[in-house]
Amino acid sequence: MEKYFPGELPQSEDIAHLKRQLNEELRRISNTLNAVVDGHLDKVYQDVTKPRRGDFRYFASATLSAGQTEGVYFFSSAGAWTQWLSL
């Protein structure tokens, strides 16, 4: 899954062209939202800069501190990443 970033605004005034661009943009938004709804998590290879309570991440083992294993972690109310599922 890739993050959604809006495309450039269309420069054309042709209605058919604008409709095609709008349909493509909505398809991209739909694909991104569906991946989240389906429970997809991309593996993360770098630290999260501003984690918030309730965040979930699938961390690669190289991302984590010594002694932690690859897996799915959540950011707890204690202000730390807690392993939820080891992979």
Side-chain angles (χ1 to χ4, degrees):
M1 175 177 72
E2 59 184 69
K3 288 187 175 184
Y4 171 77
F5 295 100
E8 294 293 318
L9 292 174
Q11 301 301 314
S12 174
E13 293 185 18
D14 175 33
I15 296 298
H17 182 255
L18 293 174
K19 284 182 179 180
R20 283 191 304 276
Q21 282 195 291
L22 179 59
N23 280 329
E24 175 60 21
E25 202 67 24
L26 291 174
R27 185 194 59 74
R28 291 179 55 229
I29 293 169
S30 175
N31 289 343
T32 301
L33 290 174
N34 286 336
V36 172
V37 168
D38 291 342
H40 177 79
L41 289 174
D42 285 338
K43 190 184 289 190
V44 176
Y45 294 93
Q46 59 191 18
D47 290 330
V48 177
T49 55
K50 293 183 180 180
R52 295 179 296 173
R53 185 175 56 186
D55 281 358
F56 277 84
R57 295 291 188 280
Y58 172 18
F59 283 113
S61 57
T63 311
L64 303 168
S65 303
Q68 293 179 309
T69 60
E70 178 177 332
V72 178
Y73 288 75
F74 70 95
F75 198 74
S76 70
S77 58
W81 288 105
T82 303
Q83 189 170 33
W84 183 61
L85 181 65
S86 178
L87 301 175

